[in-house]
């Protein structure tokens, strides 16, 4: 790095996925009408095009009213549907909530337009090599060593560093399942979808030996939808396995004529569902945010709402001059309940499709969604829990403290 000037900033954000972009967005510009609010200088480090940059993907969440990123919402629904393996579907009106879908490229375009006019946020492309603490005697903070595309290595020194890159390996856990999926964005020659209703879980799919599977349909019009096959299970499938499962769901379950279906785009992903503790602080001045910082809800795989809570709190702390430790995205009680559910599913004590269908049948939809987002009171949690199979859940809860934590394989 000889001869290269060291970059300086108050805040360095590593990774321009949902978490990194959200934090940069919340820190950009001044806050008119907020006396004393600070405007920290920010450098957002995005990986160059290639394997380190995330592929396009879809994020879903629910909220009431207008949201911060509504301009990037591709579609939203007031009605949800859950289908059991056999029998009538469960219909749910979730007003005043809306189930919202954002595509990552739409989200990045929206935030990028905003950041382009920000006086305090700078973006650069580089591969981050290491992050190291700067001793307090030398001024404190952290140093990010990185390599821009086609250029020499450079250093960035910041008071605070927020790393949103995926973890190389998961911490040891009692239970780790994977939520893995393959989906098509399709266009049909004839009307095939109900654009007013999202199919949240369609259990009319062959169930794996361990875990559960379901179909997922997010229609954006009578002719267009995201059609997806999803599993919660210990291991991912092969590429041909996903293709076969999705073709079966689309043709045999949804009765789509594949000869008349245009596949516009595809997405594949894996989300760890684990009760492993996810450290958010990895140094005096270095923190993890997003999925790497525990924003994913272990029992559902939803991440977008959790990382918004995290980045909102971090941005508020930085603007107020406080130590910006990212908060836990989910409460201790919520994580404890998730640990029990994951173990019960993994051990086979609980039938996943039966459990989720029972909850959607017996619990008011808005309360259940608030429960899944960790926003219910203890009384409400108990009210939801009484509709779960109490015996298997209690046996699992008693068993958990004695189970060892093991590294994911």
């Amino acid at each position: 790095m000889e001869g290269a000037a060291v970059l300086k900033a108050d805040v360095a954000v590593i990774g321009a996925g949902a978490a990194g972009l959200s934090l940069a967005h919340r820190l950009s510009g001044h806050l008119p009408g907020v006396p004393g609010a600070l405007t920290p200088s920010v450098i957002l480090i995005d990986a160059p095009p290639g394997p380190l940059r995330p592929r396009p993907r879809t994020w879903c969440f629910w909220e009431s009213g207008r949201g911060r990123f509504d301009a990037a919402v591709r579609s939203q629904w007031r009605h949800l549907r859950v289908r059991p393996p056999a029998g009538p579907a469960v219909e749910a009106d979730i007003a005043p909530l809306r189930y919202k879908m954002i595509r990552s490229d739409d989200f990045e375009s929206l935030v990028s337009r905003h950041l382009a006019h920000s006086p305090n946020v700078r973006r650069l492309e580089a591969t981050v090599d290491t992050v190291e603490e700067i001793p307090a005697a030398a001024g404190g903070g952290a140093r990010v060593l990185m390599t821009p595309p086609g250029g020499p290595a450079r250093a960035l020194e910041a008071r605070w560093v927020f790393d949103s890159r995926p973890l190389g390996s998961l911490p040891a856990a009692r239970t780790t399942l994977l939520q893995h999926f393959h989906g098509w964005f399709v266009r049909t020659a004839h009307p095939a979808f109900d654009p007013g209703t999202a199919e949240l879980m369609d259990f009319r799919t062959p169930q794996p030996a361990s875990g559960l599977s379901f179909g997922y349909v997010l229609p954006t019009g009578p002719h267009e939808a995201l059609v997806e096959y999803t599993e919660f299970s210990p291991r991912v499938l092969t590429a041909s396995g996903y293709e076969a499962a999705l073709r079966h769901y689309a043709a045999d379950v949804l009765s789509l004529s594949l000869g008349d279906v245009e596949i516009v785009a595809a997405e594949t992903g894996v989300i760890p569902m684990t009760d492993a503790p996810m450290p958010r602080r990895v140094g005096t001045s270095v923190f993890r945010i997003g999925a790497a910082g525990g924003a994913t809800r272990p029992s559902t795989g939803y991440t977008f709402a959790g990382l918004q809570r995290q980045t909102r709190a971090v941005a508020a702390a930085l603007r107020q001059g406080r130590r910006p430790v990212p908060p836990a995205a989910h409460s201790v009680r919520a994580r404890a309940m998730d640990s029990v559910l994951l173990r019960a599913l993994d051990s086979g004590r609980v039938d996943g499709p039966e459990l989720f269908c029972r909850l959607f049948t017996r619990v008011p939809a808005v309360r259940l969604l608030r429960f899944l987002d960790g926003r219910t009171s203890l009384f409400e949690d108990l009210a939801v829990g009484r509709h779960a199979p109490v015996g298997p859940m209690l046996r699992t809860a008693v068993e958990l403290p004695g189970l060892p934590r093991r590294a994911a394989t």
Side-chain angles (χ1 to χ4, degrees), residues 12 28 46 57 88 90 124 137 164 175 183 190 215-216 221 271 282 324 330 349 355 357:
S28 61
D46 194 3
R57 56 219 181 278
V90 181
L124 57 86
S164 67
T175 310
H190 305 286
Y216 183 53
I271 302 171
V282 291
H330 308 287
R349 286 197 183 111
L355 169 63
C357 290

Side-chain angles (χ1 to χ4, degrees), residues 172-251:
R174 298 187 183 99
T175 310
T176 297
L177 293 175
L178 301 176
Q179 179 179 153
H180 49 108
F181 53 87
H182 181 59
W184 294 331
F185 288 88
V186 301
R187 184 178 295 121
T188 60
H190 305 286
F193 306 106
D194 172 6
T197 301
E199 301 268 357
L200 194 65
M201 286 179 152
D202 184 346
F203 291 110
R204 297 175 298 171
T205 52
Q207 296 301 309
S210 177
L212 59 90
S213 74
F214 56 90
Y216 183 53
V217 183
L218 299 182
T220 55
H223 297 266
E224 298 87 26
L226 168 60
V227 178
E228 205 157 83
Y229 173 82
T230 301
E231 279 193 19
F232 295 178
S233 59
R235 285 169 292 279
V236 299
L237 306 181
T238 62
S240 60
Y242 286 117
E243 195 75 11
L246 185 51
R247 283 185 173 276
H248 173 269
Y249 179 61

Side-chain angles (χ1 to χ4, degrees), residues 82 90 200-201 356-363 368-369 372:
V82 174
V90 181
L200 194 65
M201 286 179 152
F356 284 108
C357 290
R358 182 193 294 188
L359 291 178
F360 273 94
T361 300
R362 301 183 181 181
V363 179
L368 184 56
L369 290 178
L372 294 176

Side-chain angles (χ1 to χ4, degrees), residues 50-189:
L52 295 180
R53 182 174 288 190
R55 289 183 289 183
R57 56 219 181 278
T58 303
W59 301 309
C60 289
F61 59 101
W62 48 87
E63 64 182 351
S64 60
R66 289 193 53 80
R68 185 183 186 92
F69 301 111
D70 270 5
V73 169
R74 182 72 63 94
S75 197
Q76 56 183 294
W77 301 268
R78 173 179 161 176
H79 294 93
L80 301 181
R81 182 181 294 128
V82 174
R83 293 185 184 271
V90 181
E91 308 278 348
D93 184 330
I94 62 171
L97 299 177
R98 294 292 186 273
Y99 190 78
K100 298 182 178 183
M101 176 179 73
I102 288 182
R103 290 285 291 154
S104 59
D105 46 1
D106 294 335
F107 182 77
E108 182 173 1
S109 295
L110 172 68
V111 176
S112 294
R113 290 194 299 272
H114 179 85
L115 295 182
H117 301 288
S118 173
N120 65 309
V121 178
R122 174 183 174 186
R123 297 186 69 169
L124 57 86
E125 283 188 358
T127 300
V128 172
D129 302 309
T130 59
V131 180
E132 56 189 32
E133 295 278 343
I134 299 174
R143 181 180 295 109
V144 180
L145 304 179
M146 57 191 175
T147 306
R154 297 201 67 180
L156 161 63
E157 293 182 356
R159 178 67 187 92
W160 308 107
V161 174
F162 298 91
D163 193 344
S164 67
R165 294 174 296 172
L167 297 175
S169 59
L170 293 173
R174 298 187 183 99
T175 310
T176 297
L177 293 175
L178 301 176
Q179 179 179 153
H180 49 108
F181 53 87
H182 181 59
W184 294 331
F185 288 88
V186 301
R187 184 178 295 121
T188 60

